[in-house]
Amino acid sequence: MAKKALITGITGQDGSYLAKLLLDKGYQIYGTYRRVSTSNFWRLQHLGILDKVYLIPSDLSDTGSIIEALKISCPNEIYHLAAQSFVEGSFEAPVSTGDLNGLAVTRLLEAIRHNRPDVRLYFAATSEMFGDNHSTNRPLTENDFFNPMSPYAAAKLYGYWISRIYRKGYRLFAANGIMFNHESPLRGLEFVTRKISNDVAKISLGLSKEIRLGNLDAKRDWGYAPEYVESMWRMLQQSEPDDYVVATGEGHSVREFAQRAFEVVGMDWEQYVKIDRSFFRPLDVSGLVGDCSKTEKKLGWKPETKFDRIVEIMVNEDISRWRRWLTGERFPWDAPNQPSEMNVLTRALRM
């Protein structure tokens, strides 16, 4: 009998790629999504899997809603990816970020403890928990100290620790993936990498004249999202739950990302990039690079796609999207045949 997986936040970048991966492995997939006025299923549609997953509208601020999702899906594995995932946005909405990224994890763990204690849970932690002020320049491991510098990072750190507490206190299988930045053409436009690739595509096609960025010196460890979701699955196939850093071990600045993106289209980045102080955060982390030695040793996972190739993939995909738009085609997120909320819930209840 096929395993069942519940993915919270299935409509996001990671949720969509993970759903495709698990479908390819023979899983039956359920996913939760937020009730909003405009449905956001374009990533699932883009990957050709929208009609292969069972979607459940859910509210992570409501314990009853979480329990209902568990009852509908009866999962063997839960991948908790839903979050307010924009660091800059967490400064604008710190309370709601704390609730969604932190307290919601406790609601989910309580629902699991009382209803499905044998389920295996993956929690998407983040490299932002490390923050700044590390005395060493070496890549960071699972044993390095945390120093969050944003409401986003602080809330995620709560989720990380509460998962460990329930792991030890109640013997739940709760694994933490300490994910360093991972990008793809399915990244949201609010993230600097996708903002760069999208604006470079527009500039190369004569649709825009400049790109406005904030701190060009911020350095991150950028991997490829379709590969990173494989590590999530592997964490839940182990005999015991644990915490794992998922990273490439290489750091590149926003400046390097912009420079490489313009190189893809044969243009000089310095002619088009403008600094905009409004994009600077109240607190920013200067650099984050991870060491995934433990993940490679215990899970047999390591990154394959390098930085230059990731940038190239993203820029070329955005160029392709804008070219289709110029010929009158719709973007995938403009598709008129989005399923109604009632239809997707009915499909889930039929299982």
Side-chain angles (χ1 to χ4, degrees):
M1 188 174 180
K3 281 186 176 181
K4 295 182 180 181
L6 175 64
I7 303 172
T8 69
I10 195 172
T11 61
Q13 170 189 257
D14 290 5
S16 299
Y17 281 126
L18 178 61
K20 185 177 188 308
L21 173 78
L22 295 181
L23 284 169
D24 291 343
K25 293 182 181 294
Y27 280 66
Q28 193 171 85
I29 305 301
Y30 296 80
T32 67
Y33 71 99
R34 288 183 300 119
R35 292 184 180 91
V36 290
S37 57
T38 302
S39 298
N40 185 32
F41 302 133
W42 71 269
R43 293 181 178 89
L44 297 171
Q45 192 169 38
H46 177 77
L47 294 176
I49 61 173
L50 181 56
D51 61 347
K52 299 177 182 178
V53 301
Y54 299 91
L55 300 173
I56 307 169
S58 185
D59 184 349
L60 290 174
S61 66
D62 185 337
T63 302
S65 179
I66 296 171
I67 293 173
E68 184 69 12
L70 292 181
K71 289 181 177 179
I72 291 172
S73 58
C74 297
N76 305 103
E77 299 170 4
I78 298 175
Y79 297 86
H80 183 45
L81 310 182
Q84 191 295 97
S85 57
F86 190 34
V87 176
E88 184 176 343
S90 74
F91 285 99
E92 300 166 3
V95 176
S96 61
T97 297
D99 184 75
L100 181 58
N101 292 10
L103 288 177
V105 184
T106 306
R107 297 187 191 103
L108 177 58
L109 287 163
E110 277 291 283
I112 291 171
R113 182 168 76 91
H114 290 291
N115 295 276
R116 293 195 63 84
D118 294 331
V119 79
R120 295 188 167 208
L121 172 69
Y122 166 84
F123 172 62
T126 172
S127 60
E128 291 289 329
M129 300 186 310
F130 288 115
D132 225 334
N133 299 324
H134 286 270
S135 59
T136 175
N137 291 322
R138 61 170 174 75
L140 300 164
T141 73
E142 296 82 359
N143 297 320
D144 280 294
F145 70 88
F146 297 119
N147 182 36
M149 297 183 67
S150 67
Y152 167 82
K156 280 287 189 176
L157 185 56
Y158 175 90
Y160 167 88
W161 279 115
I162 200 68
S163 296
R164 287 174 58 100
I165 289 168
Y166 273 68
R167 178 201 304 171
K168 294 181 178 180
Y170 299 111
R171 302 298 298 169
L172 297 186
F173 192 110
N176 287 307
I178 306 174
M179 294 281 165
F180 281 67
N181 293 60
H182 43 289
E183 317 302 316
S184 79
L186 299 189
R187 207 39 152 156
L189 287 169
E190 67 271 24
F191 292 89
V192 68
T193 51
R194 180 73 201 294
K195 176 181 179 179
I196 292 172
S197 68
N198 186 62
D199 282 355
V200 168
K202 290 168 66 178
I203 291 169
S204 72
L205 295 172
L207 299 173
S208 186
K209 295 182 179 180
E210 67 177 25
I211 174 173
R212 306 187 76 82
L213 299 173
N215 182 10
L216 296 182
D217 295 321
K219 183 179 290 187
R220 293 294 185 271
D221 184 326
W222 278 307
Y224 192 42
E227 295 175 354
Y228 277 42
V229 296
E230 171 79 22
S231 73
M232 301 175 186
W233 174 76
R234 293 194 182 196
M235 290 178 204
L236 297 196
Q237 311 315 306
Q238 304 306 302
S239 58
E240 297 291 335
D242 206 345
D243 308 322
Y244 300 91
V245 162
V246 181
T248 71
E250 297 181 5
H252 297 274
S253 66
V254 175
R255 178 181 285 101
E256 290 176 79
F257 199 103
Q259 181 177 357
R260 175 58 186 149
F262 276 100
E263 286 175 355
V264 172
V265 296
M267 302 174 79
D268 180 3
W269 73 279
E270 292 184 301
Q271 295 183 24
Y272 302 96
V273 174
K274 309 296 181 184
I275 303 299
D276 188 335
R277 299 293 301 182
S278 68
F279 292 124
F280 281 70
R281 298 171 183 169
L283 285 174
D284 202 357
V285 180
S286 59
L288 288 169
V289 180
D291 179 349
C292 71
S293 298
K294 174 182 174 180
T295 303
E296 183 175 349
K297 181 179 179 180
K298 293 191 67 175
L299 305 184
W301 180 93
K302 62 180 180 179
E304 300 292 342
T305 306
K306 300 297 184 181
F307 173 78
D308 284 355
R309 178 59 180 152
I310 295 168
V311 180
E312 181 182 5
I313 290 171
M314 294 178 67
V315 171
N316 286 335
E317 177 62 25
D318 274 320
I319 289 173
S320 176
R321 286 168 174 157
W322 282 107
R323 281 177 175 162
R324 293 198 300 272
W325 180 80
L326 286 170
T327 61
E329 292 186 41
R330 290 178 177 267
F331 281 157
W333 48 86
D334 292 328
N337 58 338
Q338 301 282 22
S340 70
E341 182 175 293
M342 182 58 69
N343 286 342
V344 293
L345 179 57
T346 301
R347 284 178 54 209
L349 290 172
R350 284 175 181 164
M351 292 305 298

